[in-house]
Amino acid sequence: MNANAREQLVLKGITKRYLRDKRPFTVLEDVSLTVHAGEFVTLIGPSGSGKSTLFRLIGGIERPDAGQVYIGGRDVTGQPGFISYMPQQASLFPWMKVGRNIASALEIAGIPRKEAHDMAVEWLNRIGLAEVANEYPGVLSGGMQQRVSFLRALLMPRDVMCLDEPFAALDALTRTDMQRWLLELWETQRRSVLFVTHSIEEALMLSDRIYVLTAAPARIVQQLVVPFPRPRRPDVWMEPAFMTMKRELLALLARGEEHGG
Ligand code: ADP
Ligand code: MG
């Protein structure tokens, strides 16, 4: 058991290897990190550094070669069903209406049908998407699909939310809108979040803490505390401290690229 109840997600010494040309290839090497209750933590690293792999390990759909995953103090290594997850591309079921997409996820999580339906309707209303509840996902814009996808992850009764580059496919303006939107919603909910991105600005805008990964084999080179108060001001990126941290992160990532490979 983990003595500190505020530690919602703990990774200890996670190592993962895959076979490449029949030879073992280390993707993640001795990765340890912690997400405390109600904390927004971002993992930043170059593309191909093993971020999505790490989420599959946390989600229990793959096993690490070494190390453990603890959620709420319990060793859940290799066991699925303990996190809610939002992938890079909205993964709504195209044959289900938007409201049903959310309600069915809640039902799978054990919420009775009627209650799941009411929650879906109420929340779509709250995020200004009540009018699309009876539409199929295919008619929504990319940004709207990501809002619904995020809502679905948010409503899942799980202690930890893992968001894997959720805005990477959106255009710059929609992306900025989505960051603001997510921040406002998260600041009222305060769920424990592990967020993955390779955008430095996004990491600084959203997070309480940032872990920096090297290129594969990925190791954590540094963690940074983001000091800006909440609720975050939309123009926080104009502060000198923001610029300083941005430069620091750029340098760390550049160093990580050299070390990796
Ligand atoms: P990221 O999400 O940081 O871009 P990934 O976790 O998707 O990185 O991939 C990290 C590395 O692991 C890549 O080189 C990828 O090719 C490799 N990889 C991922 N999954 C597998 C797998 N199932 N078998 C072999 N190699 C894999
Ligand atoms: Mg990825």
Side-chain angles (χ1 to χ4, degrees):
M1 279 298 287
N2 197 315
N4 188 347
R6 287 204 64 249
E7 293 179 344
Q8 202 71 268
L9 170 69
V10 176
L11 304 184
K12 277 203 181 130
I14 297 284
T15 295
K16 180 69 182 174
R17 296 183 198 94
Y18 288 120
L19 285 179
R20 184 177 278 181
D21 300 327
K22 296 185 184 159
R23 290 218 304 268
F25 163 79
T26 305
V27 177
L28 296 163
E29 191 167 275
D30 195 21
V31 171
S32 298
L33 62 80
T34 302
V35 180
H36 295 104
E39 197 180 24
F40 197 119
V41 173
T42 293
L43 199 60
I44 190 164
S47 159
S49 59
K51 303 182 297 298
S52 297
T53 301
L54 192 65
F55 274 2
R56 289 196 300 278
L57 298 173
I58 296 170
I61 53 176
E62 287 183 34
R63 276 194 150 271
D65 292 289
Q68 290 85 36
V69 178
Y70 297 90
I71 291 178
R74 183 167 158 203
D75 186 345
V76 298
T77 315
Q79 294 178 49
F82 288 94
I83 61 164
S84 70
Y85 173 70
M86 178 180 176
Q88 184 161 336
Q89 299 288 344
S91 61
L92 303 171
F93 297 124
W95 61 88
M96 283 183 191
K97 290 177 176 171
V98 166
R100 198 85 272 289
N101 256 287
I102 293 171
S104 71
L106 298 175
E107 284 171 37
I108 290 165
I111 295 170
R113 191 179 174 96
K114 173 75 172 74
E115 199 179 318
H117 171 82
D118 292 348
M119 268 173 88
V121 170
E122 186 204 320
W123 270 94
L124 280 169
N125 196 16
R126 256 200 246 182
I127 65 167
L129 287 176
E131 75 277 14
V132 303
N134 287 314
E135 302 282 359
Y136 288 96
V139 307
L140 308 187
S141 69
M144 278 178 166
Q145 290 193 25
Q146 281 301 64
R147 280 178 164 83
V148 175
S149 192
F150 177 69
L151 182 59
R152 193 174 58 172
L154 186 77
L155 294 181
M156 291 286 277
R158 300 278 186 272
D159 289 338
V160 180
M161 277 179 84
C162 290
L163 311 181
D164 191 356
E165 307 204 49
F167 308 141
L170 303 175
D171 62 81
L173 268 180
T174 311
R175 186 171 181 148
T176 308
D177 279 354
M178 284 296 298
Q179 289 167 0
R180 294 270 358 122
W181 180 84
L182 180 141
L183 205 52
E184 276 166 30
L185 204 53
W186 178 81
E187 278 168 353
T188 64
Q189 292 276 308
R190 287 294 182 137
R191 297 282 301 277
S192 308
V193 169
L194 184 61
F195 187 93
V196 155
T197 186
H198 55 249
S199 160
I200 291 174
E201 283 92 349
E202 187 163 275
L204 286 172
M205 197 74 206
L206 299 176
S207 325
D208 296 314
R209 239 160 10 96
I210 300 174
Y211 288 96
V212 183
L213 276 180
T214 60
R219 287 169 299 106
I220 288 169
V221 279
Q222 181 98 4
Q223 58 165 305
L224 296 167
V225 173
V226 184
F228 312 115
R230 297 194 185 271
R232 286 250 158 104
R233 299 199 344 253
D235 61 356
V236 65
W237 58 273
M238 291 167 76
E239 291 185 20
F242 192 101
M243 311 275 185
T244 307
M245 292 195 79
K246 189 175 156 179
R247 268 198 298 273
E248 190 179 348
L249 274 167
L250 265 171
L252 282 168
L253 283 169
R255 233 171 63 197
E257 297 267 17
E258 279 165 29
H259 285 195

Short mmCIF file of all heavy atoms in Angstrom, two decimals, residues 18 23 64 120 153 158 160 193 199 232 239 259:
data_model
loop_
_atom_site.label_atom_id
_atom_site.label_comp_id
_atom_site.label_asym_id
_atom_site.label_seq_id
_atom_site.Cartn_x
_atom_site.Cartn_y
_atom_site.Cartn_z
N TYR A 18 10.21 -3.21 -26.82
CA TYR A 18 9.54 -3.90 -27.91
C TYR A 18 10.61 -4.57 -28.76
O TYR A 18 11.79 -4.24 -28.64
CB TYR A 18 8.77 -2.91 -28.80
CG TYR A 18 7.53 -2.34 -28.18
CD1 TYR A 18 7.39 -0.97 -27.98
CD2 TYR A 18 6.48 -3.18 -27.80
CE1 TYR A 18 6.23 -0.44 -27.42
CE2 TYR A 18 5.32 -2.65 -27.24
CZ TYR A 18 5.21 -1.29 -27.05
OH TYR A 18 4.08 -0.77 -26.50
N ARG A 23 15.21 -7.58 -32.51
CA ARG A 23 16.09 -7.23 -31.39
C ARG A 23 15.32 -6.36 -30.41
O ARG A 23 14.53 -5.52 -30.83
CB ARG A 23 17.31 -6.47 -31.89
CG ARG A 23 18.27 -7.36 -32.70
CD ARG A 23 19.72 -7.01 -32.41
NE ARG A 23 20.01 -5.61 -32.67
CZ ARG A 23 20.45 -5.16 -33.86
NH1 ARG A 23 20.63 -5.98 -34.86
NH2 ARG A 23 20.70 -3.88 -34.02
N PRO A 64 4.42 -3.53 -18.31
CA PRO A 64 5.82 -3.09 -18.41
C PRO A 64 6.76 -4.29 -18.23
O PRO A 64 6.36 -5.30 -17.66
CB PRO A 64 5.96 -2.11 -17.25
CG PRO A 64 4.92 -2.51 -16.26
CD PRO A 64 3.79 -3.11 -17.05
N ALA A 120 -25.81 12.70 -19.22
CA ALA A 120 -25.33 13.07 -20.57
C ALA A 120 -26.04 14.32 -21.05
O ALA A 120 -25.40 15.28 -21.52
CB ALA A 120 -25.55 11.91 -21.54
N ALA A 153 -14.77 11.40 -21.10
CA ALA A 153 -13.68 11.01 -20.19
C ALA A 153 -13.88 11.62 -18.81
O ALA A 153 -13.68 10.97 -17.78
CB ALA A 153 -12.33 11.43 -20.77
N ARG A 158 -13.68 7.68 -12.56
CA ARG A 158 -12.33 7.13 -12.35
C ARG A 158 -11.50 8.19 -11.65
O ARG A 158 -11.71 9.38 -11.85
CB ARG A 158 -11.67 6.80 -13.69
CG ARG A 158 -12.40 5.78 -14.53
CD ARG A 158 -12.08 4.37 -14.07
NE ARG A 158 -12.67 3.41 -14.98
CZ ARG A 158 -13.90 2.92 -14.88
NH1 ARG A 158 -14.69 3.35 -13.91
NH2 ARG A 158 -14.35 2.05 -15.75
N VAL A 160 -8.31 8.89 -12.11
CA VAL A 160 -7.27 9.52 -12.93
C VAL A 160 -7.75 9.61 -14.38
O VAL A 160 -8.28 8.65 -14.93
CB VAL A 160 -5.96 8.69 -12.89
CG1 VAL A 160 -4.89 9.36 -13.75
CG2 VAL A 160 -5.47 8.52 -11.46
N VAL A 193 -5.25 14.72 -13.47
CA VAL A 193 -5.04 14.56 -14.91
C VAL A 193 -3.57 14.31 -15.22
O VAL A 193 -2.69 14.98 -14.68
CB VAL A 193 -5.51 15.83 -15.67
CG1 VAL A 193 -5.07 15.79 -17.13
CG2 VAL A 193 -7.02 16.00 -15.59
N SER A 199 3.54 20.26 -27.17
CA SER A 199 3.50 21.72 -27.23
C SER A 199 3.89 22.33 -25.89
O SER A 199 3.24 22.10 -24.87
CB SER A 199 2.09 22.18 -27.62
OG SER A 199 1.91 23.53 -27.26
N ARG A 232 -6.26 30.32 -14.20
CA ARG A 232 -5.21 30.90 -15.04
C ARG A 232 -5.78 32.00 -15.92
O ARG A 232 -6.82 31.81 -16.55
CB ARG A 232 -4.62 29.82 -15.95
CG ARG A 232 -3.74 28.87 -15.22
CD ARG A 232 -2.30 28.96 -15.53
NE ARG A 232 -1.58 28.37 -14.41
CZ ARG A 232 -1.02 27.17 -14.42
NH1 ARG A 232 -1.04 26.44 -15.51
NH2 ARG A 232 -0.42 26.71 -13.36
N GLU A 239 3.38 36.88 -19.67
CA GLU A 239 4.22 37.19 -18.50
C GLU A 239 5.67 36.78 -18.74
O GLU A 239 5.94 35.75 -19.33
CB GLU A 239 3.69 36.45 -17.27
CG GLU A 239 2.36 36.98 -16.81
CD GLU A 239 1.88 36.35 -15.53
OE1 GLU A 239 2.73 35.78 -14.81
OE2 GLU A 239 0.68 36.41 -15.28
N HIS A 259 20.37 13.32 -26.10
CA HIS A 259 20.60 12.13 -25.27
C HIS A 259 19.92 10.89 -25.85
O HIS A 259 20.42 9.80 -25.72
CB HIS A 259 20.11 12.35 -23.84
CG HIS A 259 21.03 13.24 -23.08
ND1 HIS A 259 20.97 13.35 -21.72
CD2 HIS A 259 22.04 14.04 -23.49
CE1 HIS A 259 21.91 14.20 -21.32
NE2 HIS A 259 22.56 14.63 -22.37
#
